[in-house]
Amino acid sequence: MAQVTVTIDGKAYRMACEEGQEGHLTELADQFDRYVSHLKSQFGEIGDLRITVMAGIMVMDELAEIKRRMTVMEGDLASLREGRDSAVSGASHREEQVVAALGELTDRLNGITRKLNGRPAVAARQDN
């Protein structure tokens, strides 16, 4: 385990974290310290414990808002996926219809070609 010393509200705290996570822990502590500093600037010295609890509640409020937004985005993503799947299915169906229509047209053209090739040469001269 790695050891990191972070500073919150001017006080140093020694913390343990997994190897390689030192920078992340330091950044988290710096962010939390900004919450504490913001609250101290608004409310003054109302006690370390109260300021810490208020900062923790602010963080939890932001987390709850992010979770709410993520839930909405997941719903939007599910709708988009359903729309995509529906569009792909519709495109596949239309493609099958076009292939079938082209097959029918090919058969008709082949039939016409066979009829024309089967005509007597005399009939072809009369048209001239």
Side-chain angles (χ1 to χ4, degrees), residues 81-94:
R81 284 181 175 156
E82 286 175 19
R84 177 204 60 202
D85 292 346
S86 178
V88 167
S89 175
S92 293
H93 179 68
R94 286 187 296 280

Side-chain angles (χ1 to χ4, degrees), residues 73-124:
M73 292 170 110
E74 285 172 342
D76 291 347
L77 180 60
S79 294
L80 288 170
R81 284 181 175 156
E82 286 175 19
R84 177 204 60 202
D85 292 346
S86 178
V88 167
S89 175
S92 293
H93 179 68
R94 286 187 296 280
E95 184 177 313
E96 289 170 8
Q97 288 177 324
V98 167
V99 168
L102 287 173
E104 288 176 23
L105 181 59
T106 300
D107 290 344
R108 291 174 83 187
L109 288 172
N110 284 337
I112 292 170
T113 301
R114 279 192 301 275
K115 286 180 183 177
L116 290 174
N117 286 339
R119 272 191 176 173
V122 178

